[in-house]
Amino acid sequence: MAKAFKFELQDVLDFRNFEKDQAQNELAKALAVETQINNNLQLIASQFIEVKKQIDASSDFEDIAAGNTRKKFLELQKEELLNQLAEAKVVSDQKRAVLAEAMKKTTALEKLKEKQLEGWKEESDKEENDFIDDLANNGKHFHQ
């Protein structure tokens, strides 16, 4: 009977799958950084709204001055976070490209494995059918 199917490039495929998993993890980390920055931007936006409300509700010069100082500080934080977000998006795009390349390499090997498996199955089926035919033919000769 036919021997068991063995994909000659299985070690390479396993390594490529490992690389793909690593790339997925790296992209997830990069996207988590983006998410954290966006969350911080949301927090600053809500703080900015609160400070603006406090300034508008107050007639005390010191409160208004402190509020304006706080608004300027929040603006600086926002600018810094926007710069960080731009950098994080560049990193995410790079990680996304690495993942796409890893997926392409893995997919090519998986397709090759599928083709080889189909060929092996066809060959195995042919060998089995030939074996059955030989048994049937030998049986006819034996009974004659």
Side-chain angles (χ1 to χ4, degrees):
M1 283 302 190
K3 60 183 181 179
F5 174 73
K6 177 163 176 23
F7 182 53
E8 299 87 18
L9 299 174
Q10 187 62 49
D11 290 343
V12 176
L13 179 57
D14 291 344
F15 180 71
R16 294 277 167 82
N17 278 322
F18 172 77
E19 285 181 319
K20 182 180 75 171
D21 291 344
Q22 290 295 105
Q24 286 173 327
N25 290 337
E26 291 298 314
L27 177 57
K29 289 177 190 175
L31 293 174
V33 169
E34 278 189 50
T35 299
Q36 184 60 46
I37 293 169
N38 279 318
N39 289 344
N40 290 341
L41 283 167
Q42 289 294 327
L43 181 62
I44 286 175
S46 63
Q47 289 174 350
F48 193 86
I49 291 169
E50 285 301 313
V51 170
K52 187 169 176 356
K53 286 180 185 176
Q54 289 172 357
I55 291 171
D56 291 346
S58 179
S59 58
D60 182 0
F61 177 76
E62 287 182 19
D63 287 346
I64 294 171
N68 284 328
T69 301
R70 179 81 175 129
K71 278 174 44 178
K72 287 178 187 173
F73 178 72
L74 290 170
E75 280 290 329
L76 289 174
Q77 282 185 313
K78 181 184 88 171
E79 289 304 315
E80 176 59 30
L81 285 171
L82 288 174
N83 288 333
Q84 289 176 16
L85 183 60
E87 291 172 14
K89 285 185 180 294
V90 168
V91 171
S92 293
D93 288 345
Q94 291 169 344
K95 301 295 183 186
R96 201 173 276 112
V98 169
L99 176 58
E101 185 63 25
M103 290 175 78
K104 190 166 78 173
K105 289 178 181 179
T106 303
T107 301
L109 280 172
E110 286 172 346
K111 286 182 181 178
L112 179 61
K113 181 179 180 177
E114 286 174 19
K115 281 185 178 181
Q116 287 185 4
L117 180 60
E118 286 176 24
W120 174 84
K121 283 180 181 177
E122 288 173 7
E123 183 63 30
S124 179
D125 288 349
K126 182 183 179 315
E127 286 178 15
E128 188 175 314
N129 288 336
D130 289 349
F131 180 77
I132 292 170
D133 287 348
D134 285 348
L135 283 178
N137 289 334
N138 286 338
K140 287 180 187 174
H141 295 299
F142 183 71
H143 288 296
Q144 293 176 349

